[in-house]
Amino acid sequence: MMIEFLRNLLQTEDTKILFILALIAISMILDFATGTIAAKINNNIKFESQKGINGILRKICSMIVMIFFIPLSVLVPEGIGTTLVYVLYLGYLVMEVTSVLENLKKMGIDTSLFTNFLKNIEKSKK
């Protein structure tokens, strides 16, 4: 049932872009949460609330810029704008997921399976 719901979300270009944006938002929340937990449980990481606040502000600004690019992409002719938004969003999503994996690694969790998967994705882009 959930898979069918997700497939329905991916039927149009508009909903695909919003779906990826939602995944980025979720990964940002996961990144912040795992980073905070890693700083709390790992003695080698200094926990500073100002760094956390700055991180949240950067993520909010990034999200505002990414949302701004949606209507801007319509102005670029022949679907090139949509393609550029896909590239921007997917690149940002990979960056956020990589950050989450780094935080998990700092917690002592083995992330080699996922890290190798991301490396293979990056190699296939080149």
Side-chain angles (χ1 to χ4, degrees), residues 1-112:
M1 186 167 139
M2 183 178 202
I3 300 296
E4 189 63 33
F5 173 74
L6 294 174
R7 280 193 187 121
N8 288 335
L9 288 178
L10 300 176
Q11 289 183 350
T12 67
E13 296 299 316
D14 297 339
T15 55
K16 284 180 188 176
I17 288 174
L18 295 176
F19 183 78
I20 296 169
L21 191 61
L23 289 176
I24 292 169
I26 292 167
S27 65
M28 286 178 165
I29 293 167
L30 285 174
D31 182 35
F32 179 76
T34 56
T36 301
I37 293 168
K40 287 286 190 180
I41 66 173
N42 190 333
N43 293 332
N44 296 329
I45 302 171
K46 187 176 179 182
F47 182 79
E48 296 179 26
S49 61
Q50 187 61 42
K51 283 187 178 181
I53 291 169
N54 290 342
I56 291 171
L57 292 174
R58 277 193 303 272
K59 289 183 184 303
I60 290 170
C61 289
S62 296
M63 190 58 74
I64 290 169
V65 169
M66 285 187 282
I67 292 169
F68 171 74
F69 278 112
I70 293 172
L72 190 65
S73 69
V74 177
L75 298 175
V76 180
E78 299 183 24
I80 296 171
T82 304
T83 303
L84 292 174
V85 168
Y86 276 129
V87 170
L88 172 70
Y89 283 12
L90 291 175
Y92 206 94
L93 182 60
V94 168
M95 185 178 72
E96 286 293 327
V97 170
T98 301
S99 183
V100 170
L101 292 175
E102 288 171 359
N103 291 335
L104 293 175
K105 190 173 183 180
K106 290 175 186 174
M107 287 188 249
I109 299 171
D110 180 27
T111 60
S112 59

Side-chain angles (χ1 to χ4, degrees), residues 103-122:
N103 291 335
L104 293 175
K105 190 173 183 180
K106 290 175 186 174
M107 287 188 249
I109 299 171
D110 180 27
T111 60
S112 59
L113 174 68
F114 301 108
T115 306
N116 292 337
F117 177 73
L118 285 177
K119 285 180 184 175
N120 288 335
I121 289 174
E122 288 176 9

